[in-house]
Amino acid sequence: MGKKSSSHTLPDCPCQSGLPYVQCCQRFIDPAPAQRPETAEQLMRSRYTAYVNKDTDYLLKTWHPDHRPYKLSLDDFANQWIGLKVKSTQQGSKQDTTGKVHFVARFKINGKAHKLEENSTFEKIDGQWLYVCDDKI
């Protein structure tokens, strides 16, 4: 359940951080006034949320230019994202310029559950964390 604000409950963030969406990934994803993720884990969580919301603009914007696809279509991707668990992080703090995040994302395609487990690599360029690549496990 989300945290309370005034007399109503705010929706939880899809990244399952335990924070309301407006206090978590929305502040990075919404174009104005967008904040930058301060850690590799924040970027990874916001990218997961962008997959949930099928926000290709944000995904492309946060992809390292040397590895970014020309275009991205999520039409045939997971029908439903159902969970994210961050298992570990290496570096990726505010002070670092590189980091790795090991996570498991769960999703359904045509009602059948699947999982994606990977170690994603991130790099900070000019103060902006970017997704570089992954090692699927």
Side-chain angles (χ1 to χ4, degrees):
M1 184 114 109
K3 305 216 189 278
K4 297 228 175 194
S5 171
S6 309
S7 61
H8 67 280
T9 301
L10 297 172
D12 289 339
C13 190
C15 80
Q16 298 184 326
S17 65
L19 296 171
Y21 179 59
V22 297
Q23 294 174 1
C24 194
C25 293
Q26 183 180 12
R27 62 196 170 119
F28 306 128
I29 295 172
D30 281 359
Q35 297 176 19
R36 290 181 172 180
E38 295 180 343
T39 67
E41 181 178 343
Q42 284 180 334
L43 178 61
M44 191 280 310
R45 286 182 177 280
S46 67
R47 286 177 55 84
Y48 171 85
T49 298
Y51 275 104
V52 170
N53 295 335
K54 297 187 184 267
D55 187 340
T56 56
D57 289 342
Y58 182 77
L59 291 167
L60 289 170
K61 181 177 90 171
T62 58
W63 217 308
H64 192 288
D66 293 346
H67 302 275
R68 180 185 306 137
Y70 177 70
K71 70 178 194 173
L72 181 63
S73 173
L74 300 179
D75 294 338
D76 295 329
F77 215 64
N79 296 63
Q80 180 184 13
W81 290 94
I82 55 176
L84 174 69
K85 179 173 180 163
V86 174
K87 298 189 104 177
S88 66
T89 60
Q90 295 175 359
Q91 298 181 309
S93 72
K94 293 179 189 179
Q95 296 79 21
D96 293 318
T97 57
T98 61
K100 285 191 175 280
V101 179
H102 178 187
F103 69 92
V104 177
R106 298 190 186 289
F107 58 96
K108 288 184 180 180
I109 297 177
N110 298 324
K112 185 176 179 195
H114 301 271
K115 79 172 187 174
L116 170 69
E117 184 170 0
E118 62 181 58
N119 283 312
S120 290
T121 301
F122 299 88
E123 183 178 354
K124 191 189 314 179
I125 300 174
D126 297 327
Q128 170 79 41
W129 279 105
L130 299 168
Y131 168 75
V132 177
C133 63
D134 64 71
D135 296 321
K136 292 191 177 36
I137 297 172

